[in-house]
Short mmCIF file of all heavy atoms in Angstrom, two decimals:
data_model
loop_
_atom_site.label_atom_id
_atom_site.label_comp_id
_atom_site.label_asym_id
_atom_site.label_seq_id
_atom_site.Cartn_x
_atom_site.Cartn_y
_atom_site.Cartn_z
N GLY A 464 39.86 9.15 11.97
CA GLY A 464 40.14 9.74 10.60
C GLY A 464 41.30 10.67 10.64
O GLY A 464 41.59 11.27 9.62
N SER A 465 41.94 10.88 11.80
CA SER A 465 43.12 11.83 11.88
C SER A 465 44.44 11.33 11.22
O SER A 465 45.30 12.09 11.01
CB SER A 465 43.32 12.20 13.33
OG SER A 465 43.64 11.09 14.10
N GLY A 466 44.44 10.04 10.93
CA GLY A 466 45.61 9.49 10.33
C GLY A 466 46.61 8.76 11.27
O GLY A 466 47.75 8.53 10.89
N LYS A 467 46.05 8.27 12.44
CA LYS A 467 46.97 7.73 13.42
C LYS A 467 47.63 6.47 12.83
O LYS A 467 48.87 6.17 12.95
CB LYS A 467 46.17 7.41 14.64
CG LYS A 467 45.66 8.62 15.38
CD LYS A 467 44.82 8.33 16.66
CE LYS A 467 43.63 7.40 16.38
NZ LYS A 467 42.59 8.10 15.38
N SER A 468 46.74 5.52 12.31
CA SER A 468 47.24 4.19 11.87
C SER A 468 48.18 4.40 10.64
O SER A 468 49.09 3.72 10.51
CB SER A 468 46.14 3.28 11.50
OG SER A 468 45.34 2.94 12.76
N THR A 469 47.84 5.29 9.80
CA THR A 469 48.60 5.57 8.62
C THR A 469 49.96 5.98 8.99
O THR A 469 51.00 5.44 8.46
CB THR A 469 48.00 6.64 7.73
OG1 THR A 469 46.71 6.14 7.24
CG2 THR A 469 48.82 6.97 6.46
N LEU A 470 50.11 6.98 9.90
CA LEU A 470 51.35 7.42 10.31
C LEU A 470 52.15 6.30 11.07
O LEU A 470 53.31 6.25 10.95
CB LEU A 470 51.24 8.62 11.23
CG LEU A 470 50.58 9.91 10.56
CD1 LEU A 470 50.42 11.05 11.64
CD2 LEU A 470 51.38 10.38 9.41
N ALA A 471 51.44 5.64 11.90
CA ALA A 471 52.11 4.50 12.66
C ALA A 471 52.72 3.46 11.79
O ALA A 471 53.90 3.08 11.97
CB ALA A 471 51.06 3.83 13.63
N ARG A 472 51.94 3.09 10.74
CA ARG A 472 52.52 2.07 9.83
C ARG A 472 53.62 2.55 8.96
O ARG A 472 54.63 1.92 8.72
CB ARG A 472 51.33 1.60 8.86
CG ARG A 472 50.28 0.71 9.60
CD ARG A 472 50.87 -0.52 10.13
NE ARG A 472 49.78 -1.30 10.81
CZ ARG A 472 49.99 -2.39 11.56
NH1 ARG A 472 51.20 -2.80 11.86
NH2 ARG A 472 48.94 -2.97 12.06
N ARG A 473 53.60 3.75 8.57
CA ARG A 473 54.76 4.38 7.74
C ARG A 473 56.00 4.51 8.72
O ARG A 473 57.09 4.17 8.28
CB ARG A 473 54.39 5.73 7.29
CG ARG A 473 53.30 5.73 6.12
CD ARG A 473 53.33 7.05 5.35
NE ARG A 473 52.44 7.00 4.17
CZ ARG A 473 52.47 7.84 3.22
NH1 ARG A 473 53.32 8.88 3.29
NH2 ARG A 473 51.64 7.78 2.23
N ALA A 474 55.77 4.95 9.90
CA ALA A 474 56.90 5.06 10.81
C ALA A 474 57.54 3.65 11.18
O ALA A 474 58.68 3.45 11.22
CB ALA A 474 56.51 5.72 12.08
N GLU A 475 56.64 2.66 11.31
CA GLU A 475 57.07 1.31 11.57
C GLU A 475 57.97 0.87 10.41
O GLU A 475 59.01 0.26 10.61
CB GLU A 475 55.81 0.37 11.68
CG GLU A 475 56.19 -1.08 11.86
CD GLU A 475 54.88 -1.98 11.65
OE1 GLU A 475 53.95 -1.61 10.86
OE2 GLU A 475 54.84 -3.09 12.24
N GLU A 476 57.56 1.10 9.19
CA GLU A 476 58.34 0.65 7.99
C GLU A 476 59.72 1.35 8.08
O GLU A 476 60.64 0.60 7.77
CB GLU A 476 57.48 1.02 6.65
CG GLU A 476 58.17 0.52 5.45
CD GLU A 476 57.36 0.89 4.23
OE1 GLU A 476 56.49 1.67 4.35
OE2 GLU A 476 57.73 0.29 3.16
N ASP A 477 59.79 2.61 8.29
CA ASP A 477 60.99 3.38 8.35
C ASP A 477 61.87 2.78 9.40
O ASP A 477 63.09 2.52 9.19
CB ASP A 477 60.65 4.93 8.63
CG ASP A 477 61.86 5.73 8.49
OD1 ASP A 477 63.01 5.25 8.48
OD2 ASP A 477 61.69 6.94 8.53
N LEU A 478 61.47 2.55 10.71
CA LEU A 478 62.23 2.12 11.80
C LEU A 478 62.69 0.67 11.59
O LEU A 478 63.83 0.32 11.85
CB LEU A 478 61.42 2.17 13.13
CG LEU A 478 61.05 3.52 13.56
CD1 LEU A 478 59.92 3.49 14.56
CD2 LEU A 478 62.30 4.36 14.13
N ALA A 479 61.82 -0.17 11.03
CA ALA A 479 62.22 -1.51 10.71
C ALA A 479 63.38 -1.62 9.76
O ALA A 479 64.22 -2.45 9.77
CB ALA A 479 61.05 -2.35 10.31
N ALA A 480 63.26 -0.79 8.73
CA ALA A 480 64.31 -0.66 7.66
C ALA A 480 65.73 -0.38 8.33
O ALA A 480 66.75 -0.76 7.85
CB ALA A 480 63.86 0.34 6.60
N GLY A 481 65.61 0.32 9.43
CA GLY A 481 66.89 0.72 10.08
C GLY A 481 67.27 -0.25 11.01
O GLY A 481 68.24 0.02 11.87
N GLY A 482 66.62 -1.36 11.25
CA GLY A 482 67.03 -2.40 12.14
C GLY A 482 66.24 -2.37 13.54
O GLY A 482 66.70 -3.18 14.39
N SER A 483 65.36 -1.50 13.69
CA SER A 483 64.71 -1.42 15.02
C SER A 483 63.63 -2.52 15.20
O SER A 483 63.00 -2.86 14.15
CB SER A 483 64.08 0.02 15.20
OG SER A 483 65.03 0.97 15.14
N ALA A 484 63.54 -2.98 16.42
CA ALA A 484 62.38 -3.92 16.69
C ALA A 484 61.23 -3.08 17.04
O ALA A 484 61.17 -2.37 18.05
CB ALA A 484 62.79 -4.82 17.85
N VAL A 485 60.21 -3.11 16.14
CA VAL A 485 59.09 -2.21 16.32
C VAL A 485 57.75 -3.04 16.05
O VAL A 485 57.67 -3.79 15.12
CB VAL A 485 59.17 -0.90 15.42
CG1 VAL A 485 59.36 -1.30 14.00
CG2 VAL A 485 58.06 0.07 15.58
N THR A 486 56.75 -2.67 16.74
CA THR A 486 55.37 -3.24 16.54
C THR A 486 54.38 -2.16 16.61
O THR A 486 54.39 -1.28 17.45
CB THR A 486 55.06 -4.32 17.63
OG1 THR A 486 56.01 -5.41 17.51
CG2 THR A 486 53.69 -4.89 17.42
N VAL A 487 53.24 -2.25 15.76
CA VAL A 487 52.11 -1.36 15.80
C VAL A 487 50.94 -2.09 16.43
O VAL A 487 50.61 -3.20 15.92
CB VAL A 487 51.78 -0.76 14.46
CG1 VAL A 487 50.58 -0.01 14.42
CG2 VAL A 487 53.00 0.20 13.91
N LEU A 488 50.25 -1.40 17.28
CA LEU A 488 48.94 -1.85 17.82
C LEU A 488 47.94 -0.82 17.36
O LEU A 488 47.95 0.26 17.90
CB LEU A 488 48.99 -1.99 19.28
CG LEU A 488 49.85 -3.07 19.95
CD1 LEU A 488 49.74 -2.94 21.43
CD2 LEU A 488 49.56 -4.42 19.48
N ASP A 489 47.11 -1.19 16.40
CA ASP A 489 46.07 -0.11 16.07
C ASP A 489 44.70 -0.69 16.45
O ASP A 489 44.41 -1.87 16.73
CB ASP A 489 46.03 0.17 14.54
CG ASP A 489 45.48 -0.98 13.71
OD1 ASP A 489 46.31 -1.91 13.42
OD2 ASP A 489 44.30 -0.91 13.44
N GLY A 490 43.69 0.23 16.66
CA GLY A 490 42.37 -0.12 17.04
C GLY A 490 41.69 -1.18 16.37
O GLY A 490 41.12 -2.11 16.87
N ASP A 491 41.61 -1.08 15.03
CA ASP A 491 40.93 -2.14 14.25
C ASP A 491 41.48 -3.49 14.49
O ASP A 491 40.78 -4.49 14.51
CB ASP A 491 40.90 -1.76 12.82
CG ASP A 491 39.97 -0.60 12.50
OD1 ASP A 491 39.23 -0.14 13.44
OD2 ASP A 491 40.00 0.03 11.40
N THR A 492 42.87 -3.59 14.47
CA THR A 492 43.54 -4.87 14.71
C THR A 492 43.21 -5.51 15.98
O THR A 492 42.84 -6.61 16.09
CB THR A 492 45.02 -4.71 14.57
OG1 THR A 492 45.42 -4.23 13.31
CG2 THR A 492 45.77 -6.05 14.79
N LEU A 493 43.19 -4.67 17.06
CA LEU A 493 42.79 -5.17 18.41
C LEU A 493 41.35 -5.61 18.49
O LEU A 493 41.02 -6.64 19.00
CB LEU A 493 43.06 -4.03 19.42
CG LEU A 493 44.61 -3.81 19.75
CD1 LEU A 493 44.70 -2.48 20.58
CD2 LEU A 493 45.16 -4.93 20.48
N ARG A 494 40.46 -4.75 17.90
CA ARG A 494 39.05 -5.12 17.96
C ARG A 494 38.74 -6.34 17.06
O ARG A 494 37.65 -6.90 17.21
CB ARG A 494 38.18 -3.91 17.55
CG ARG A 494 38.14 -2.91 18.57
CD ARG A 494 37.20 -1.77 18.37
NE ARG A 494 37.06 -0.86 19.56
CZ ARG A 494 36.16 -1.11 20.65
NH1 ARG A 494 35.57 -2.11 20.67
NH2 ARG A 494 36.26 -0.16 21.56
N ALA A 495 39.57 -6.65 16.06
CA ALA A 495 39.28 -7.92 15.27
C ALA A 495 39.62 -9.16 16.02
O ALA A 495 39.17 -10.23 15.65
CB ALA A 495 40.04 -7.77 14.02
N GLY A 496 40.41 -9.04 17.11
CA GLY A 496 40.83 -10.18 17.83
C GLY A 496 40.61 -10.05 19.37
O GLY A 496 39.62 -10.46 19.86
N LEU A 497 41.71 -9.57 19.95
CA LEU A 497 41.67 -9.52 21.44
C LEU A 497 40.48 -8.81 22.02
O LEU A 497 39.88 -9.28 22.98
CB LEU A 497 42.99 -8.81 21.91
CG LEU A 497 43.11 -8.56 23.43
CD1 LEU A 497 43.30 -9.89 24.15
CD2 LEU A 497 44.34 -7.61 23.60
N CYS A 498 39.93 -7.78 21.35
CA CYS A 498 38.85 -6.96 21.84
C CYS A 498 37.57 -7.07 21.03
O CYS A 498 36.78 -6.21 21.21
CB CYS A 498 39.29 -5.44 21.93
SG CYS A 498 40.79 -5.13 23.00
N SER A 499 37.46 -8.29 20.44
CA SER A 499 36.26 -8.49 19.56
C SER A 499 34.96 -8.60 20.43
O SER A 499 33.88 -8.45 19.86
CB SER A 499 36.44 -9.71 18.75
OG SER A 499 36.63 -10.88 19.55
N ASP A 500 35.07 -8.79 21.71
CA ASP A 500 33.96 -8.95 22.58
C ASP A 500 33.40 -7.67 23.13
O ASP A 500 32.52 -7.55 23.83
CB ASP A 500 34.29 -9.88 23.67
CG ASP A 500 35.49 -9.39 24.59
OD1 ASP A 500 36.45 -8.86 24.03
OD2 ASP A 500 35.33 -9.50 25.82
N LEU A 501 34.14 -6.51 22.79
CA LEU A 501 33.79 -5.23 23.31
C LEU A 501 33.00 -4.31 22.37
O LEU A 501 33.24 -4.32 21.13
CB LEU A 501 35.09 -4.52 23.80
CG LEU A 501 35.99 -5.15 24.79
CD1 LEU A 501 37.27 -4.34 25.03
CD2 LEU A 501 35.14 -5.34 26.09
N GLY A 502 32.10 -3.50 22.92
CA GLY A 502 31.44 -2.53 22.13
C GLY A 502 32.05 -1.17 22.27
O GLY A 502 33.34 -1.13 22.51
N PHE A 503 31.22 -0.11 22.23
CA PHE A 503 31.85 1.23 22.23
C PHE A 503 31.23 2.16 23.35
O PHE A 503 31.32 3.34 23.22
CB PHE A 503 31.63 1.89 20.83
CG PHE A 503 32.40 1.29 19.73
CD1 PHE A 503 31.87 0.16 19.06
CD2 PHE A 503 33.65 1.71 19.44
CE1 PHE A 503 32.61 -0.48 18.00
CE2 PHE A 503 34.42 1.09 18.41
CZ PHE A 503 33.93 -0.02 17.78
N SER A 504 30.66 1.52 24.37
CA SER A 504 30.30 2.29 25.46
C SER A 504 31.45 2.82 26.18
O SER A 504 32.59 2.36 26.04
CB SER A 504 29.35 1.42 26.47
OG SER A 504 30.23 0.51 27.06
N PRO A 505 31.38 3.88 27.00
CA PRO A 505 32.46 4.44 27.70
C PRO A 505 33.28 3.30 28.56
O PRO A 505 34.52 3.30 28.54
CB PRO A 505 31.87 5.44 28.63
CG PRO A 505 30.74 5.94 27.92
CD PRO A 505 30.11 4.77 27.27
N GLU A 506 32.52 2.49 29.17
CA GLU A 506 33.10 1.37 30.00
C GLU A 506 33.91 0.41 29.08
O GLU A 506 35.04 -0.01 29.35
CB GLU A 506 31.94 0.62 30.78
CG GLU A 506 31.31 1.43 31.89
CD GLU A 506 30.30 2.39 31.21
OE1 GLU A 506 29.83 2.26 30.08
OE2 GLU A 506 29.89 3.34 31.96
N GLU A 507 33.31 0.08 28.00
CA GLU A 507 33.94 -0.84 27.03
C GLU A 507 35.21 -0.22 26.30
O GLU A 507 36.17 -0.91 26.08
CB GLU A 507 33.03 -1.41 25.99
CG GLU A 507 31.96 -2.41 26.61
CD GLU A 507 30.79 -2.76 25.72
OE1 GLU A 507 30.10 -1.83 25.24
OE2 GLU A 507 30.58 -3.97 25.47
#
Side-chain angles (χ1 to χ4, degrees):
S465 59
K467 299 179 298 298
S468 295
T469 299
L470 298 179
R472 291 299 183 187
R473 288 195 177 198
E475 176 191 31
E476 184 178 13
D477 187 347
L478 292 165
S483 297
V485 57
T486 297
V487 170
L488 298 175
D489 74 273
D491 286 351
T492 301
L493 289 168
R494 285 190 174 275
L497 176 65
C498 300
S499 60
D500 59 319
L501 299 177
F503 292 89
S504 68
E506 295 76 19
E507 290 172 303

